[in-house]
Amino acid sequence: MTATGPTLEGADLLLRGSRIEAVGWNLAAPPGAHIIDLEGRFVTPGLIDPHSHLGVYPSPRTRAHADGNEATDPFTPEVRAEESFWPQDPGLRRAVAGGVTTLHVLPGSANLVGGQGFTLKLRPAASAAGMRLAGAPSTMKLACGENPKRVYGQARKRAPATRMGEIALLRSKLEKARAWAADPDHETADEDSDPATGKEPRDFGLRALAGTLDGRVLIQNHCYRADEMLLRLSLFREFDTRPRAFHHAVEAYKIRDQLAEAEVGAVVWVDWWGSKLEMLDSVPANAALLDAAGVRVALHSDSAYDVQHLNQEAAKAMAAGWRAGLEVEPEDAIRWVTAHPAWILGIDDRTGTLEAGKDADVVVWSGNPFSVYAHADLVFINGGLVYDRARPGSYRISDFELGIRSAP
Amino acid sequence: MTGLLLTVAIVSATVYTGEGPPLREATVVIDGNRVTAVGTGLAPPKGARIIDARSGIVTPGLIDGASRVGLVGVRLESQSVEGTLGPDADPVRAALRVSDTFDAASFVLPVARSGGLTSAAIIPQGGILQGQSAWIDLIEDDPVRRSPLALHVSLGSHGSKAGSRSRAFLRLRQVLEDTRLVNSNRGLYLSGKLRPISVSAADLAVISLALERELPVVFEVDRAADIRTVLQIARTYRLRAILLGAAEGWKVADEIAAADVPALVNPFENLPSDFDRLDARADNGLLLHRAGISVGFTLRGAAHFAPRLRQAAGNAVRNGFPYDAAVAAITSVPARIFRMVDTGVLRPGALANLVIWNGDPLELTSWPTRMLIRGREIELRSRQDQLTERYLTLPLDAPGGPGRADPGPALPSAP
């Protein structure tokens, strides 16, 4: 399943170095190639989770490692998830065992602007930098709705306490970013910054936020309700920008025509609902409805458990579409966990499909990937075999688990 | 719910009875609220209303042995969360009964039914001696089948949010000893001459039922060491223990089996999510099953996630759990653990709670097409279905009204 069109049955896949060289029938293996006979098993692109907190809210859940929300101010555009990321999170290995090759790790949703996301490939490394997907565009986490006003208004008696407060604060912050960007001297002023002369130091936060206005930094906006998503769209229009995608977006199906028209993606669950009032109108057919309307829809986990079976989430989302009377093909649904999240992260030129020239991020499944019984048997990242189910030690357990975990 | 209970025959089905391998091309006959016959090639009785399963699969209604359906509406809105007390309440609240506040009209129930759930043990939450569970069918009319069902005790770090796990075990021991003391000195207690004790009169009555083995005691506990302590306490006080969670149960499987204690486990739990579960593993249920323990699957207090019970069972099968035993683990086993006879099975005399599926009930590409609870057909339509129907066509804004938001200036092209 290439995630670009019809499923190619009985086909071959040629990987060379870190890239896919060819996909098709009767490919000639170059001399010396290592040949793996899949005997009719399914192959898909490596799965991509566009919304994860692995590494920043790792397992076990402890105060010591709760590094996902810099909840000291509603605006922290300068912080980067990469700089909280703990590469020894035991959840990372399990995500790979679920066929996930690329993660987008985000700061939490306590803040209106929570900081920069971290796009990575799931190869084990000593540091976050060693896992970074080089060249992936920067992303910025924004949040609206219940979380920021609960964290600040209700818990700390400071702004924002209401939804209108959230929008007003964000508008004034975006205005500052626009002014900063428009100031022809801002870069040189930075260079010359000197506390002795009163010149302002470099403002990394404003600089990052300004990037969301010119499209260099992709806005990933946590937002649930349809009306709030539309409010956000019109706010961003005031600044000639738009979000790359709304995340969670449980009511996106209600405005799928407008999201399609605005070319804004949607990152959704299948069956998460009801833990907050803004999550009440979630429907399992959300993804199928969005896809039918032409919205680039992706499924996300937001969970150290669900990231392990995104293929099952896609199966549920597809079946919910069928149950609602929509025509959904497996070839559509596979894109919800591969090609579409790649677009949402701005890395669709690199990964997310099985096409010549793309990174060799490939999963071999033990059976139909939409079956609950299917395992990821082999997982390749950048052409390297990082996980082989037949060899439990192939993706080593994290340092944390060493001497603690006795299970294989 | 009104309407005559007729004789109903479900034909052309593969029937999982909840007790072993399936019956092919089988018929299920229901009279009133009971199953009267199940078998391959059975002719439906004359005059019976025929439900054609269209070669689908019939299972007993699914059962979660530790659920919060009907107790939680919107989790973060405290006015819609029941079967629990605030964070500052006494952690000993054995007298709390979830059946007092169970809401069968909750909008969560139709969603749970959409995943095939027809019955559940609904459980209290928070505290150490948390209160009493109830057995319910997911219907509005007379839903509670047994209350109290069990006394619930949460240990490990779950029961000790305000302190150490030592505190939770200490409180449990104090309460059990005080109850014993009162029961052997009723006269002194009633005349106020007994030393001060740590438990309210209402709590004492419930804990006494547990000590008399009238009520089973469900221990929510995960760490292997804590499970050992629970087994020892259960032995000392001769309690009818049931384990809930038991994420590290596989490490002490032989001891659990020797004590003849059943376990309700969540097959999704394979992460060291806290210090109670550092050695959690995906095949925990399988290892407990192999040791001879009765293993039921649960989502462990889920309400909104209730439809995922079959996904949990499917994942257990993926990790080696035998298929027929996995179906039993979400039907007959939880019923048997709580001694709910004639429930979770399809055999003559059993309560007619069943689901017709359009495919393998554990596969996520199939779903329930019909459902009977106590012999009555229940419409499988949730608020989620109503929303989906409402929004199948767009846009919805009224013509002539303010309409859709002004599209504003043209957007820059996607970066």
Side-chain angles (χ1 to χ4, degrees):
Chain A
M1 305 187 78
T2 61
T4 59
T7 298
L8 313 179
E9 285 179 34
D12 304 327
L13 179 66
L14 179 60
L15 313 180
R16 189 197 289 267
S18 64
R19 299 292 171 92
I20 295 169
E21 183 148 303
V23 192
W25 288 277
N26 303 315
L27 300 182
H34 178 61
I35 294 177
I36 307 174
D37 185 355
L38 298 180
E39 295 168 338
R41 279 183 281 175
F42 283 73
V43 178
T44 68
L47 307 190
I48 301 171
D49 187 349
H51 191 120
S52 171
H53 300 297
L54 288 176
V56 300
Y57 281 118
S59 302
R61 217 183 259 210
T62 58
R63 267 180 298 191
H65 281 167
D67 287 320
N69 270 307
E70 182 57 39
T72 51
D73 189 277
F75 292 97
T76 55
E78 66 279 13
V79 306
R80 302 172 181 175
E82 181 176 342
E83 288 164 349
S84 270
F85 185 85
W86 184 45
Q88 300 294 344
D89 182 348
L92 298 170
R93 180 176 63 99
R94 289 164 178 80
V96 174
V100 178
T101 55
T102 303
L103 280 186
H104 181 226
V105 175
L106 284 161
S109 51
N111 298 347
L112 292 171
V113 176
Q116 297 163 47
F118 173 38
T119 304
L120 65 100
K121 294 266 187 102
L122 275 163
R123 289 163 305 176
S127 69
M131 301 176 79
R132 182 194 304 144
L133 172 48
S138 296
T139 62
M140 185 66 73
K141 172 74 175 281
L142 272 68
C144 55
E146 292 185 31
N147 290 8
K149 73 197 193 85
R150 184 179 63 247
V151 170
Y152 292 97
Q154 285 159 30
R156 295 168 202 199
K157 304 293 172 215
R158 56 173 287 200
T162 60
R163 285 183 161 88
M164 58 187 173
E166 290 179 358
I167 290 276
L169 280 178
L170 180 59
R171 178 180 284 116
S172 63
K173 201 69 171 184
L174 290 174
E175 187 54 49
K176 265 190 194 157
R178 177 154 67 184
W180 182 91
D183 176 0
D185 294 330
H186 65 252
E187 287 293 348
T188 46
D190 276 345
E191 310 262 315
D192 299 341
S193 72
D194 181 358
T197 62
K199 282 206 167 161
E200 286 292 312
R202 215 178 267 250
D203 189 328
F204 291 103
L206 274 186
R207 173 189 293 239
L209 205 53
T212 66
L213 301 182
D214 63 20
R216 279 181 298 118
V217 178
L218 305 180
I219 296 172
Q220 310 288 350
N221 200 139
H222 154 122
C223 201
Y224 290 89
R225 269 174 23 190
D227 59 321
E228 270 191 293
M229 285 186 264
L230 293 180
L231 266 176
R232 282 282 158 130
L233 281 185
S234 60
L235 173 68
F236 291 129
R237 277 196 191 100
E238 293 174 26
F239 294 89
D240 296 323
T241 188
R242 65 179 152 189
R244 184 68 159 193
F246 285 115
H247 287 234
H248 311 326
V250 303
E251 292 188 10
Y253 65 95
K254 297 182 181 178
I255 51 165
R256 57 193 185 277
D257 52 345
Q258 300 187 60
L259 293 175
E261 197 178 308
E263 285 186 65
V264 173
V267 177
V268 304
W269 292 295
V270 186
D271 54 9
W272 285 39
W273 72 287
S275 65
K276 297 182 279 184
L277 205 51
E278 63 190 5
M279 283 176 85
L280 195 63
D281 284 4
S282 173
V283 302
N286 198 14
L289 287 164
L290 287 161
D291 194 63
V295 177
R296 284 193 180 87
V297 59
L299 301 177
H300 67 324
S301 76
D302 200 8
S303 152
Y305 286 102
D306 285 5
V307 68
Q308 301 179 45
H309 45 77
L310 283 174
N311 59 316
Q312 295 174 20
E313 301 309 296
K316 284 191 289 189
M318 177 170 67
W322 295 342
R323 191 167 172 267
L326 301 169
E327 281 180 30
V328 190
E329 300 296 331
E331 287 78 7
D332 304 318
I334 196 68
R335 292 171 62 79
W336 305 343
V337 287
T338 55
H340 288 178
W343 180 85
I344 282 162
L345 303 180
I347 54 173
D348 47 324
D349 57 333
R350 296 279 303 275
T351 187
T353 58
L354 299 180
E355 288 177 285
K358 292 277 177 82
D359 289 357
D361 299 340
V362 179
V363 184
V364 175
W365 300 89
S366 62
N368 186 320
F370 296 102
S371 167
V372 74
Y373 310 121
H375 284 278
D377 277 348
L378 302 172
V379 180
F380 295 86
I381 295 178
N382 293 354
L385 179 62
V386 295
Y387 174 77
D388 177 353
R389 187 165 71 95
R391 293 186 301 123
S394 59
Y395 197 107
R396 65 184 193 182
I397 64 171
S398 81
D399 292 353
F400 174 79
E401 291 182 279
L402 209 58
I404 286 177
R405 180 177 178 81
S406 50
Chain B
M1 233 168 291
T2 54
L4 283 174
L5 289 169
L6 302 167
T7 300
V8 175
I10 299 167
V11 301
S12 201
T14 297
V15 178
Y16 279 85
T17 63
E19 308 175 292
L23 310 172
R24 313 276 170 194
E25 281 303 309
T27 303
V28 182
V29 183
I30 295 147
D31 205 355
N33 62 6
R34 297 274 160 184
V35 174
T36 53
V38 185
T40 295
L42 217 60
K46 254 198 178 143
R49 185 184 144 219
I50 306 290
I51 296 179
D52 186 351
R54 299 177 188 199
S55 307
I57 290 178
V58 172
T59 65
L62 306 191
I63 300 171
D64 190 330
S67 178
R68 302 262 304 146
V69 295
L71 296 170
V72 184
V74 175
R75 195 164 48 80
L76 286 193
E77 297 296 332
S78 57
Q79 58 176 312
S80 76
V81 179
E82 291 301 335
T84 190
L85 303 175
D88 303 325
D90 186 347
V92 177
R93 66 289 283 267
L96 182 153
R97 283 192 186 197
V98 295
S99 58
D100 287 343
T101 51
F102 170 70
D103 179 14
S106 163
F107 50 74
V108 176
L109 262 62
V111 175
R113 287 196 295 257
S114 77
L117 209 72
T118 64
S119 311
I122 51 165
I123 63 169
Q125 192 176 50
I128 299 167
L129 277 87
Q130 305 177 287
Q132 303 151 71
S133 53
W135 189 278
I136 53 118
D137 286 331
L138 273 67
I139 49 174
E140 277 202 50
D141 186 21
D142 194 21
V144 179
R145 287 190 55 209
R146 187 186 296 163
S147 178
L149 179 71
L151 172 63
H152 284 247
V153 179
S154 184
L155 297 163
S157 62
H158 312 293
S160 56
K161 289 259 151 64
S164 64
R165 73 192 64 232
S166 302
R167 177 172 175 270
F169 278 102
L170 170 67
R171 283 296 277 142
L172 174 63
R173 288 184 183 281
Q174 285 172 336
V175 164
L176 291 170
E177 279 306 307
D178 278 359
T179 307
R180 269 188 169 179
L181 181 74
V182 168
N183 285 346
S184 45
N185 299 280
R186 288 303 297 179
L188 286 176
Y189 174 69
L190 291 172
S191 59
K193 289 176 184 156
L194 202 61
R195 67 156 169 80
I197 60 156
S198 62
V199 201
S200 76
D203 285 346
L204 280 171
V206 177
I207 297 157
S208 297
L209 288 177
L211 288 171
E212 290 155 15
R213 299 176 64 81
E214 291 276 316
L215 267 190
V217 183
V218 174
F219 289 96
E220 185 179 26
V221 64
D222 283 300
R223 189 188 270 194
D226 295 346
I227 293 171
R228 272 207 186 98
T229 309
V230 162
L231 294 177
Q232 187 247 318
I233 289 172
R235 200 161 49 239
T236 304
Y237 293 93
R238 298 192 59 254
L239 301 171
R240 273 170 57 197
I242 296 166
L243 297 178
L244 171 56
E248 290 188 353
W250 64 275
K251 298 177 97 167
V252 288
D254 291 343
E255 293 162 62
I256 300 169
D260 200 19
V261 168
L264 293 163
V265 306
N266 181 349
F268 284 123
E269 286 183 11
N270 69 343
L271 277 166
S273 8
D274 51 39
F275 277 75
D276 292 67
R277 287 176 272 199
L278 289 178
D279 225 346
R281 55 188 287 174
D283 56 356
N284 178 43
L286 172 64
L287 299 176
L288 297 176
H289 174 76
R290 279 194 188 142
I293 296 159
S294 276
V295 177
F297 297 143
T298 176
L299 297 172
R300 241 179 134 165
H304 302 95
F305 275 148
R308 284 190 172 197
L309 186 62
R310 66 198 185 100
Q311 188 180 4
N315 277 277
V317 172
R318 187 166 81 97
N319 289 307
F321 206 88
Y323 184 91
D324 294 347
V327 174
I330 51 176
T331 55
S332 59
V333 174
R336 206 167 55 230
I337 285 173
F338 288 104
R339 300 189 186 172
M340 294 300 299
V341 291
D342 302 335
T343 300
V345 290
L346 295 176
R347 62 170 177 237
L351 200 66
N353 290 359
L354 61 84
V355 184
I356 305 176
W357 306 81
N358 59 2
D360 179 348
L362 305 190
E363 281 286 19
L364 306 166
T365 42
S366 38
W367 60 86
T369 55
R370 322 270 295 251
M371 174 180 279
L372 271 68
I373 299 182
R374 296 187 200 164
R376 291 176 204 267
E377 181 148 19
I378 305 287
E379 190 191 11
L380 286 166
R381 188 157 177 267
S382 71
R383 193 173 168 280
Q384 297 179 338
D385 296 321
Q386 290 175 281
L387 280 161
T388 305
E389 288 159 21
R390 168 172 287 189
Y391 284 93
L392 267 178
T393 49
L394 286 181
L396 287 185
D397 290 353
R404 293 164 48 176
D406 175 14
L411 291 165
S413 61

